[in-house]
Amino acid sequence: MFSRVLSGAFCGIDSYLVQVEVDISQGLPGMEMIGCLSKEASEARQRIRVALKNIGVRIPPSRITINLSPADRHKSGTAFDLPSAVGVLASLGEIAPDRITDILFAGELGLNGEIKPVRGILPLAQCAAKEGIPVCIVPEENGLEAAVLDSVRVYGVSHLTQVIDALRIGIEESGLRRLRDNGEGCPQTESAEDFSQIAGQETARRAAEIAAAGFHHMLLIGPPGSGKTMLARRMPSILPPLSLEESLEVSAIYSVCGKLRGNGIRKSRPFLAPHHTATGAALIGGGSPPAPGAVSLAHKGVLFLDELPEFRRSVLDMLRQPMEEKNVQIARNSVNIVYPADFMLVAAMNPCPCGHYPSGKCRCTQREIKRYLNRISGPILDRIDLCVEMPQIEMKQLSQLGRAEDSASIRTRILKAREMQKERFDGSGLRFNSEMTAGEILRRCALGERERRYLERAAEAFSMSARAYHRVLRMARTIADLAGEERIGERHIGEAVYYRSAAEKYWERER
């Protein structure tokens, strides 16, 4: 007897429907799974056989063939256990075939019939919604991931017998628990980190506000103990909350990594801080099977690279494409996988190996300093909008700890600036000033004659490249937005040029 059950698979964070076709016929007894499967997916036949035996279902000595279609796309993971088992039960006559139509199944089977959580439930549920499939039956631990989707009824199950009973008498009549979004989302650790805890460093605080308002990349340079890491870790506290669309994008990435189990979708912006020993695959993504890296896990949030020159230069240069294109493309023989990577880079570094250049405490030679700075390539520096020096904190500033402006007040100004950007770029596909191309800059950053001459003099004085010139204009546009002004003035340009001067001090003169 033949039966067909719906399931799904994902490539990157994009998902597609998989038809699990089961046929039971006469022949040499055995169970075979075909359809371009990974090792863990093909091992499902043993889990299915033992699980059915342990719940009292007798499998006759027949030839069982399970095909996962489309057969030309590679499929991995253990989510096909449950739909394959349901297909076998339908072919055996244990479940009526009309009971399994228009239902997407996914889940891993334990040998006792337990249904265990799997990766990627949220993308699979999104695929079901797109294809008009009204019901999803998934592991109970994964259910809250998909429950946010109103167009799909999500039911969580913990054992195969629950599924059998529900399909025999009807899902609604069985009392199977339908999972619903409670609006809380993925619980986050309560953080007390706030910008009011940063003593002094007014220039760096202002730079952080500009970076957050326009989603600009930022580099912090200063001696040990100047507060670089402290400031970076408080960046999420001044960023606006995720919209529902952004939350679903971020959650889909975490879902395929298996990081949402038992929780709903993420409601807070990610903050990733990989160690400087991270490999290219850990930072960018890859491996076998391919998985998202830190740049994708930081999507719509902050990627913090502390001790930037300590990262291998080859690893840092891998950031060039994600910083420009907002995604990561991982090429394999049979498939190209694309992961989103729209992050804000916040990097921190010492000005020299000992950390005290240019003060009298520095004991590094000019050759050592140059070698240290040159670990960061020019193309990476060109993609960083703000470069900020953070001097050592004076003792008298520490006595005023807690009196600085708090994160909530800064975030209010940032929200207003982002509203201006939203109106400006409506219908253009852009969202932030940092995303403006050269053509968009000409349209959106028109300067008066006085402002144009001022910027030309600054560009000549600092020997700016064309990319640096455009970067200054993008920053000036954000600074004007923070001031609530549509016209870019000299003071906005001057402040933007100032945040270019630190990079010129350390790198341009060396080149």
Side-chain angles (χ1 to χ4, degrees):
M1 184 176 176
F2 174 82
S3 65
R4 181 183 286 118
V5 182
L6 292 176
S7 187
F10 54 87
C11 180
I13 64 169
D14 296 323
S15 53
Y16 59 94
L17 285 183
V18 172
Q19 294 187 358
V20 180
E21 301 171 334
V22 180
D23 180 74
I24 299 180
S25 59
Q26 293 182 351
L28 188 65
M31 183 181 293
E32 182 180 11
M33 293 191 70
I34 57 176
C36 197
L37 309 179
S38 66
K39 183 179 179 181
E40 70 271 14
S42 62
E43 288 173 346
R45 62 185 184 271
Q46 301 298 337
R47 293 190 290 271
I48 294 168
R49 182 179 291 277
V50 177
L52 291 178
K53 174 185 73 71
N54 286 331
I55 65 171
V57 177
R58 179 180 175 275
I59 300 179
S62 304
R63 185 67 179 172
I64 303 176
T65 304
I66 303 173
N67 176 47
L68 273 58
S69 176
D72 62 341
R73 301 189 68 169
H74 184 73
K75 306 168 193 70
S76 61
T78 57
F80 304 110
D81 291 13
L82 178 58
S84 299
V86 170
V88 170
L89 289 165
S91 294
L92 291 173
E94 298 286 338
I95 299 172
D98 61 331
R99 296 281 192 175
I100 59 176
T101 58
D102 294 330
I103 301 175
L104 186 143
F105 296 86
E108 178 185 334
L109 279 180
L111 298 184
N112 63 347
E114 178 187 4
I115 298 177
K116 301 179 180 180
V118 294
R119 298 182 295 115
I121 288 296
L122 177 56
L124 297 187
Q126 290 174 321
C127 179
K130 181 180 178 181
E131 297 293 336
I133 300 170
V135 177
C136 291
I137 294 181
V138 300
E140 192 165 15
E141 290 186 47
N142 291 129
L144 288 178
E145 297 178 30
V148 69
L149 303 174
D150 295 330
S151 55
V152 178
R153 303 196 304 275
V154 179
Y155 295 91
V157 291
S158 58
H159 201 274
L160 184 56
T161 54
Q162 287 181 275
V163 180
I164 296 172
D165 293 341
L167 294 176
R168 281 176 175 170
I169 65 176
I171 294 177
E172 299 294 340
E173 294 78 6
S174 68
L176 197 63
R177 182 189 173 201
R178 180 182 175 184
L179 301 175
R180 300 178 186 272
D181 179 37
N182 57 14
E184 296 179 1
C186 184
Q188 303 295 319
T189 304
E190 191 68 27
S191 176
E193 295 180 343
D194 192 275
F195 262 65
S196 63
Q197 300 161 350
I198 301 175
Q201 302 296 8
E202 295 302 325
T203 300
R205 290 168 57 92
R206 172 63 174 171
E209 182 176 341
I210 296 169
F215 219 65
H216 300 280
H217 302 307
M218 179 172 63
L219 174 62
L220 306 173
I221 305 176
S226 58
K228 303 185 296 295
T229 302
M230 186 178 187
L231 184 144
R233 291 192 175 278
R234 282 155 180 74
M235 286 298 294
S237 70
I238 63 173
L239 290 172
L242 289 170
S243 65
L244 177 59
E245 181 182 355
E246 290 176 326
S247 183
L248 288 172
E249 286 183 37
V250 174
S251 299
I253 300 170
Y254 279 74
S255 180
V256 300
C257 292
K259 296 181 180 293
L260 289 183
R261 294 181 181 176
N263 300 312
I265 61 174
R266 287 189 63 100
K267 296 294 180 70
S268 63
R269 294 193 181 270
F271 180 88
L272 269 290
H275 193 261
H276 61 75
T277 57
T279 63
L283 186 64
I284 303 300
S288 182
V295 296
S296 295
L297 292 172
H299 184 60
K300 303 299 182 183
V302 177
L303 176 67
F304 176 46
L305 301 184
D306 201 4
E307 305 295 345
L308 187 66
E310 300 300 333
F311 285 82
R312 292 200 299 272
R313 179 165 176 161
S314 60
V315 173
L316 285 181
D317 281 343
M318 292 180 182
L319 291 171
R320 289 157 64 172
Q321 182 209 3
M323 291 173 71
E324 197 75 23
E325 299 181 8
K326 310 297 184 184
N327 62 51
V328 171
Q329 299 184 28
I330 300 173
R332 292 293 183 266
N333 289 335
S334 59
V335 67
N336 287 334
I337 298 174
V338 179
Y339 290 117
D342 185 8
F343 59 89
M344 182 173 72
L345 175 66
V346 178
M349 60 176 286
N350 296 329
C352 68
C354 75
H356 296 290
Y357 177 80
S359 73
K361 297 180 181 179
C362 181
R363 295 295 181 265
C364 303
T365 65
Q366 285 299 316
R367 185 177 180 181
E368 289 173 333
I369 295 173
K370 185 174 182 179
R371 187 187 304 118
Y372 180 77
L373 294 176
N374 284 342
R375 294 178 186 175
I376 306 172
S377 67
I380 290 294
L381 287 172
D382 274 346
R383 288 165 170 79
I384 297 176
D385 291 342
L386 294 96
C387 187
V388 191
E389 281 191 289
M390 295 184 66
Q392 193 69 50
I393 297 292
E394 298 178 6
M395 291 300 105
K396 64 180 181 180
Q397 291 177 316
L398 293 177
S399 63
Q400 300 179 355
L401 190 65
R403 299 181 185 178
E405 188 177 26
D406 61 13
S407 295
S409 301
I410 299 172
R411 188 168 59 248
T412 299
R413 291 195 297 271
I414 290 171
L415 284 168
K416 291 180 180 179
R418 288 202 173 187
E419 280 299 319
M420 292 184 68
Q421 294 172 69
K422 183 178 179 180
E423 293 178 8
R424 178 181 303 122
F425 299 128
D426 185 36
S428 68
L430 302 178
R431 297 161 302 148
F432 304 113
N433 294 326
S434 60
E435 298 175 347
M436 285 190 291
T437 61
E440 287 289 338
I441 289 173
L442 289 175
R443 292 178 54 201
R444 315 285 185 179
C445 302
L447 302 178
E449 184 63 25
R450 182 177 178 181
E451 289 78 16
R452 184 182 59 79
R453 290 199 303 268
Y454 181 86
L455 180 55
E456 287 176 353
R457 290 196 301 269
E460 184 177 349
F462 289 104
S463 303
M464 291 183 191
S465 65
R467 180 173 279 177
Y469 181 90
H470 288 150
R471 183 164 64 244
V472 167
L473 276 174
R474 286 195 294 262
M475 281 192 290
R477 177 68 273 164
T478 301
I479 293 167
D481 289 345
L482 283 168
E485 300 176 13
E486 193 59 42
R487 184 174 179 273
I488 298 176
E490 284 187 34
R491 66 182 184 279
H492 306 138
I493 297 172
E495 187 174 5
V497 170
Y498 173 78
Y499 289 117
R500 170 67 188 166
S501 62
E504 189 273 342
K505 172 181 178 181
Y506 288 98
W507 280 281
E508 297 301 329
R509 290 178 182 173
E510 294 289 339
R511 297 187 188 278

